[in-house]
Each structure stands twice: as C-alpha cells, then as structure tokens.
C-alpha cells in the first residue's frame, strides 16, 4: 500500500475508533431520578451527622440518634430496591455495609459514606445545578422567611433558647445542601421544602448561603457559570483562582449553561 493509502487508513481508524466519544448516559425517568436524589440525600445526612451523634455525650441519646440514622439507611435500601437496576443493587450492597457499622463507633464511616455518594454522582446522571441563574437577593429574603427562625439570621445556628427545643440541634447551614433543603432531615425538625419552595427558590437560598460564608469581595475575578459553582467547593475554587476567590466568584456569576 502506498504511503498515501496508509495515511488514509490511519485517518479512518482514528475517526471510527480512538476518537469516538462515549455514548451519553441514559436519561432517568422522573421516578428514578427522585428516588436516586432521596438516596443521595439520606447518605449525605448520615455522612454529616454520624460523628456529631457520637459526640452528643449522653449514651442513651447517642444510641437513639444512631438508630435514627440506621433507619435512614434502611429507607435508602428500600428506594434502591424499588429502582431495581444492577447499578442500584451494587450501591445497596455498599449501603448495607455502612448499615452494619453504624451502631458502633467507627470514625471512618462518614468518609466511606461520602465515597458512596461520590460514586453515585459519577455513574448516575442526576441534575446537580440550577436551571436558571440564582438570585442572591431573593435567596436572602426566602432564607429570612423560611429558615432564619431555626438557623439564626446569619445561618450560623439558632439562639440558645431556640436550640434547647430541638433534638438534634439545628446546625450551621453556611455549607448548605440542596437535597437537605428539598427533602428535609429525617427524624429531625428540619422540614421538606419540596412543595413549599420552587426548585429555583431553593437554589436561590443555597447560593445566598454560598456567598454569606465569605466576607465581601475585594478582588473581582472572571465569573464562572452557576452550574459550575453548584458542584465546586470553596477549596477547589481556591486552588483554581487563589485563596479567597470564592468571596467574589460566589457573588458575581453567570447564568447556567443550557
């Protein structure tokens, strides 16, 4: 074969093989997407609250709270069984492994639970970003109306008199979670806002709190899109743009990609 022929053959092989893109992930049905989101929300709550439960100090209260978190994992397993895919069965095996450990003292459990969440988010095409540009002013208004009475006017926690009336105590929510705001906290006083607030209003609140955990912006930076900010932590933003970058990037941002 001539040199020209070899080059043409190579071009065909590259275009038909090595450069071929992976097929897009299948779109979830609304029912399966809702179930996966609830599973993720349950695992996020366990990962956040397990260590806090161990540090309550009162053994009966610790046992009660760990039992509540175990029940949350049981609910996740029931949802995964309803989804019924091989992927869900694999996640359920991991969830049951956490369930077997949760009633004891295991300081690796929170990190292992977060790893399950990260695995789900890599494999399952869940929507993790707002569809419209969040409105920080509206987020501040909604937070004041719906959240401040329990979490404090600045999100750092309730006044002592209010905190006494809750078990467990409402946490600092300057590191908010969209799923917790949507589905509430099982076995806690945290209600679900799935019906009470629109998805956009919930994202408004989340982005308002993203910004509030930093002092005012002093060094403007080229803005990122809202869908990028929704999945990037402050540590990652700092690595990309320098310490304190989140103070600006979380206040001045672009609309999400369509």
């Amino acid at each position: 074969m001539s040199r020209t022929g070899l080059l043409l053959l190579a071009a065909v092989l590259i275009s038909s093989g090595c450069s071929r893109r992976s097929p897009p992930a299948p779109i979830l049905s609304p029912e399966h997407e809702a179930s996966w989101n609830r599973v993720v929300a349950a695992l996020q709550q366990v990962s956040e609250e397990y260590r806090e439960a161990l540090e309550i100090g009162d053994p009966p209260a610790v046992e009660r709270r760990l039992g509540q978190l175990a029940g949350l994992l049981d609910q996740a397993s029931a949802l995964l069984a309803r989804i019924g895919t091989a992927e869900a069965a694999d996640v359920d095996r991991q969830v049951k492994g956490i369930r077997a450990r949760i009633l004891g003292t295991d300081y690796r459990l929170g990190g292992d639970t977060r790893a399950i969440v990260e695995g789900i988010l890599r494999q399952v095409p869940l929507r993790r970003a707002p569809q419209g540009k969040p409105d920080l002013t509206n987020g501040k208004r909604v937070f004041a109306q719906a959240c401040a009475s329990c979490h404090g006017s600045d999100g750092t926690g309730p006044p002592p008199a209010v905190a006494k009336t809750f078990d467990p105590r409402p946490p600092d929510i300057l590191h908010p979670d969209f799923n917790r705001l949507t589905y509430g906290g099982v076995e806690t006083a945290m209600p679900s806002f799935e019906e009470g607030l629109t998805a956009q209003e919930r994202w408004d609140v989340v982005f308002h709190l993203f910004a509030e955990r930093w002092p005012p912006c002093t060094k403007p930076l080229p803005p990122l899109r809202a869908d990028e900010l929704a999945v990037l932590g402050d540590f990652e933003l700092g690595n990309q743009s320098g310490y304190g970058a989140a103070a600006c990037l979380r206040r001045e941002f672009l609309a999400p990609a369509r």
Side-chain angles (χ1 to χ4, degrees):
M1 183 180 293
S2 69
R3 183 176 178 181
T4 301
L6 287 171
L7 290 173
L8 287 172
L9 178 60
V12 170
L13 290 173
I14 290 171
S15 65
S16 62
C18 297
S19 65
R20 181 179 298 167
R21 294 182 179 180
S22 300
I27 297 174
L28 295 175
S29 69
E31 180 183 359
H32 279 188
E33 183 172 26
S35 294
W36 276 114
N37 273 320
R38 288 181 180 277
V39 168
V40 167
L43 293 173
Q44 286 172 331
Q45 184 173 346
V46 170
S47 71
E48 292 164 5
E49 296 189 10
Y50 174 76
R51 184 182 287 265
E52 293 175 8
L54 295 181
E55 295 172 353
I56 290 173
D58 175 28
V62 172
E63 183 178 359
R64 181 174 66 252
R65 188 59 186 147
L66 292 181
Q68 291 170 340
L69 295 177
L72 198 54
L73 293 174
D74 293 338
Q75 292 177 30
S77 285
L79 287 166
L80 291 163
R82 193 184 310 163
I83 294 169
T85 63
E87 202 166 48
D90 180 58
V91 172
D92 190 33
R93 283 191 290 273
Q94 298 175 63
V95 170
K96 284 184 166 61
I98 297 294
R99 174 66 170 82
R101 298 159 52 190
I102 199 168
L103 297 181
T105 301
D106 182 343
Y107 287 102
R108 297 180 59 185
L109 186 143
D112 291 346
T113 306
R114 282 192 296 276
I116 297 174
V117 172
E118 289 164 5
I120 292 171
L121 296 179
R122 283 194 301 270
Q123 299 176 58
V124 181
L126 296 175
R127 286 175 289 184
R128 302 173 59 203
Q131 294 190 341
K133 183 180 179 182
D135 182 333
L136 300 185
T137 300
N138 188 54
K140 182 176 183 178
R141 180 190 64 79
V142 174
F143 177 85
Q145 292 179 347
C147 313
S149 60
C150 292
H151 294 283
S153 60
D154 60 358
T156 58
V162 174
K164 287 189 215 181
T165 65
F166 290 101
D167 179 22
R169 183 181 188 275
D172 161 0
I173 56 166
L174 286 180
H175 296 77
D177 184 286
F178 181 79
N179 277 339
R180 181 71 71 89
L181 186 59
T182 300
Y183 301 118
V186 174
E187 302 292 348
T188 77
M190 174 69 184
S192 165
F193 287 98
E194 186 176 16
E195 301 297 331
L197 297 174
T198 67
Q200 191 60 48
E201 287 173 326
R202 281 175 262 141
W203 278 116
D204 290 349
V205 171
V206 167
F207 269 67
H208 158 65
L209 292 170
F210 279 169
E212 283 298 298
R213 62 182 180 233
W214 284 93
C217 171
T218 58
K219 178 180 147 186
L221 294 166
L224 299 178
R225 298 192 317 266
D227 52 315
E228 297 173 305
L229 289 173
V231 297
L232 287 173
D234 291 349
F235 181 76
E236 294 166 298
L237 292 177
N239 281 343
Q240 290 179 16
S241 303
Y243 178 76
C248 296
L249 296 174
R250 295 208 181 280
R251 286 181 170 84
E252 297 292 337
F253 49 85
L254 305 174
R258 293 293 181 181

